[in-house]
Amino acid sequence: MRFCPYAQRAHLVLNAKKVDYHTVFINLTEKPEWLVEVSPLLKVPALQVVAEKGQPSLIESLIIAEYLDEKYPQNPLLPKDALKRAQDKILLERFNGITNAFMKILLQNTGLDDFWTALDIFEQELIKRGTRFFGGDKPGFVDYMIWPWLERLPVIEYVLKDNYNFDEKRFPKVAQLITLLKEDEAVKGFYATPEQHQEFWRTRKAGNASYDLLA
Amino acid sequence: MRFCPYAQRAHLVLNAKKVDYHTVFINLTEKPEWLVEVSPLLKVPALQVVAEKGQPSLIESLIIAEYLDEKYPQNPLLPKDALKRAQDKILLERFNGITNAFMKILLQNTGLDDFWTALDIFEQELIKRGTRFFGGDKPGFVDYMIWPWLERLPVIEYVLKDNYNFDEKRFPKVAQLITLLKEDEAVKGFYATPEQHQEFWRTRKAGNASYDLLA
């Protein structure tokens, strides 16, 4: 599904690793019958590993991303140190505060304060790490895993209009991160503009999601 | 919290690795004020790594378990192969069907069919792997991560009484796994009897959870 933020995570890691892959975009409203064969819970993303015996499929965006990071050692994304790896994963658990608030805003037009409060944790963590990216001087695992929601801030603006109030003084590090990631090759390789995201949300909200908009 | 199945996961891995550790059991109804310092979301388990600079704390049972498995290479629990590691983690994602059904049974006296349907996946996986344990010829990561709920089957029996219908013919591999794990040293090192689990649930349900029952 071209506009699924979880599916985007898999694309970002594949791009960051410069791994060749083939994409099948699906219509998430009218799911193809074969989906159950690669994704038993009928969710996206699913990664079919065609080079392995039996062509097994993996699901769950974070599990897929970590698998790719282990399988393809070039441009390592997660830290080598076990403690730092665990801390990055805990940070991503806390990102659920943002993904939950995001859906609440889109579906119920409420929850913006919770969204910013959850984002505070990431602003503070960037300050604590003293680096431009969560990964240090280049994008790492956390950066790519959270990017899909940062790319979709314009959807919140579209939904809330004048009530949208991203504050660069409250989030200077996150604002800088967004600017930097927009120039990253892996991000640019799977990017949708604010207008495209807004148009997708408009059609989805109207009940005729434009799944083929960029596919 | 002595009776938390998620906290038990951390104990099982520490025991399986024969790592020395100190336990602080807490009252989950009246949480200690210091809890926020080691567990920002006020959940258990939290693992404070006292040997590391700043004595950082880790949360989330699966993240703690994987950290311990990476940090202490003795008796490795997760498979070495990246694909198999990912498949074990996906299996544990699917275990959410069991943990969700478990709470629904305890709180609403309903959901037993869903519980068995979710358990079917694990029975089939053991058949597919052709081994006694998910870890092969010894308990591995999946075995220890699911054990706390297998140990608590008697709580379901206590709640549902005659409606409890564990079927050894439907789950021969799981039944064998339960028998084998009960004899495992790591499991025996942090085990509560059916009667103790039932007594804890009785007091919790009555609103005066007996947190010190075994602490």
Side-chain angles (χ1 to χ4, degrees):
Chain A
M1 201 290 259
R2 174 59 185 84
F3 286 90
C4 172
Y6 297 96
Q8 187 174 357
R9 285 173 161 176
H11 288 274
L12 291 169
V13 175
L14 287 160
N15 288 354
K17 299 279 179 180
K18 297 191 164 61
V19 174
D20 284 334
Y21 63 98
H22 174 68
T23 306
V24 180
F25 291 120
I26 66 158
N27 179 324
L28 212 54
T29 312
E30 297 177 34
K31 293 173 183 176
E33 279 181 31
W34 51 260
L35 184 60
V36 69
E37 289 163 33
V38 292
S39 182
L41 303 174
L42 303 179
K43 298 199 295 185
V44 291
L47 177 76
Q48 188 168 26
V49 190
V50 292
E52 293 277 351
K53 191 186 161 196
Q55 308 201 335
S57 291
L58 302 178
I59 55 171
E60 298 296 336
S61 63
L62 293 178
I63 295 173
I64 288 172
E66 190 172 1
Y67 162 76
L68 290 169
D69 194 37
E70 289 181 10
K71 185 74 182 176
Y72 300 99
Q74 65 270 31
N75 188 17
L77 298 178
L78 273 165
K80 287 270 170 284
D81 175 66
L83 179 65
K84 290 200 171 76
R85 287 168 77 92
Q87 288 171 325
D88 271 8
K89 289 178 189 174
I90 291 166
L91 197 55
L92 289 172
E93 275 293 320
R94 305 210 60 187
F95 195 70
N96 291 341
I98 288 183
T99 62
N100 292 339
F102 181 78
M103 281 318 293
K104 202 170 170 190
I105 293 166
L106 265 56
L107 297 176
Q108 303 172 29
N109 284 28
T110 180
L112 188 59
D113 287 348
D114 291 342
F115 189 94
W116 300 138
T117 301
L119 196 59
D120 279 332
I121 294 167
F122 288 79
E123 180 71 22
Q124 292 308 311
E125 183 67 23
L126 278 172
I127 291 169
K128 191 175 146 198
R129 295 190 182 194
T131 53
R132 298 187 302 168
F133 299 101
F134 288 97
D137 56 4
K138 67 173 190 63
F141 198 77
V142 171
D143 301 286
Y144 288 127
M145 295 303 101
I146 72 173
W147 169 253
W149 287 265
L150 300 179
E151 189 180 294
R152 283 162 180 76
L153 285 173
V155 182
I156 300 183
E157 186 171 10
Y158 172 80
V159 169
L160 297 182
K161 299 187 177 64
D162 288 349
N163 291 321
Y164 177 76
N165 57 353
F166 181 78
D167 184 351
E168 292 216 8
K169 286 178 187 150
R170 182 171 172 180
F171 302 110
K173 296 284 177 190
V174 170
Q176 183 189 43
L177 179 68
I178 291 172
T179 304
L180 291 168
L181 283 174
K182 272 186 189 162
E183 295 305 315
D184 178 74
E185 288 304 321
V187 166
K188 287 201 281 188
F190 196 84
Y191 179 78
T193 66
E195 294 73 23
Q196 289 163 340
H197 278 297
Q198 291 167 348
E199 171 65 6
F200 177 74
W201 180 249
R202 188 189 67 74
T203 60
R204 183 174 158 185
K205 186 88 174 177
N208 59 346
S210 191
Y211 290 111
D212 290 335
L213 190 59
L214 285 174
Chain B
M1 203 289 259
R2 175 59 186 83
F3 286 90
C4 172
Y6 297 97
Q8 187 174 357
R9 286 174 162 176
H11 288 274
L12 291 169
V13 176
L14 287 160
N15 289 353
K17 299 278 178 179
K18 296 191 166 59
V19 174
D20 285 333
Y21 64 99
H22 174 68
T23 305
V24 180
F25 291 120
I26 67 159
N27 179 324
L28 211 55
T29 311
E30 296 177 34
K31 293 173 182 175
E33 280 182 28
W34 52 258
L35 184 61
V36 69
E37 291 163 30
V38 292
S39 182
L41 303 175
L42 303 179
K43 298 198 295 184
V44 292
L47 177 76
Q48 188 169 26
V49 190
V50 293
E52 293 277 353
K53 191 185 161 196
Q55 308 201 335
S57 292
L58 302 178
I59 56 171
E60 297 297 335
S61 63
L62 292 178
I63 294 173
I64 288 171
E66 189 172 1
Y67 162 76
L68 291 169
D69 195 37
E70 288 181 11
K71 186 73 181 177
Y72 300 98
Q74 65 268 32
N75 187 15
L77 298 177
L78 273 165
K80 287 271 170 283
D81 176 66
L83 179 65
K84 289 201 172 76
R85 288 168 77 90
Q87 288 171 324
D88 271 8
K89 289 177 188 175
I90 291 166
L91 196 55
L92 289 172
E93 276 292 321
R94 305 210 61 188
F95 195 69
N96 292 341
I98 289 183
T99 63
N100 292 339
F102 181 78
M103 281 318 293
K104 203 171 170 189
I105 293 166
L106 266 56
L107 298 175
Q108 304 170 28
N109 284 29
T110 179
L112 187 60
D113 287 348
D114 292 342
F115 189 94
W116 300 138
T117 301
L119 196 59
D120 279 332
I121 293 166
F122 289 79
E123 179 71 22
Q124 292 307 311
E125 184 67 23
L126 277 173
I127 292 168
K128 191 174 146 199
R129 294 189 183 195
T131 52
R132 298 187 302 167
F133 299 100
F134 288 98
D137 56 4
K138 67 173 190 65
F141 198 78
V142 170
D143 300 286
Y144 287 128
M145 294 304 101
I146 71 174
W147 169 253
W149 286 264
L150 300 179
E151 188 180 295
R152 284 163 180 74
L153 285 173
V155 182
I156 300 183
E157 186 171 11
Y158 171 79
V159 169
L160 296 182
K161 297 185 178 65
D162 288 349
N163 291 322
Y164 178 76
N165 56 353
F166 181 77
D167 184 351
E168 291 216 10
K169 285 179 187 149
R170 181 170 172 182
F171 301 110
K173 295 284 178 189
V174 170
Q176 183 190 42
L177 179 68
I178 291 172
T179 304
L180 291 168
L181 282 173
K182 271 185 188 162
E183 296 304 315
D184 178 73
E185 288 303 321
V187 166
K188 287 201 281 189
F190 195 85
Y191 178 78
T193 66
E195 294 73 24
Q196 289 162 340
H197 278 297
Q198 291 167 346
E199 170 65 6
F200 177 76
W201 180 249
R202 188 189 66 75
T203 60
R204 183 173 159 185
K205 186 89 175 177
N208 59 346
S210 191
Y211 291 112
D212 290 335
L213 190 60
L214 286 174

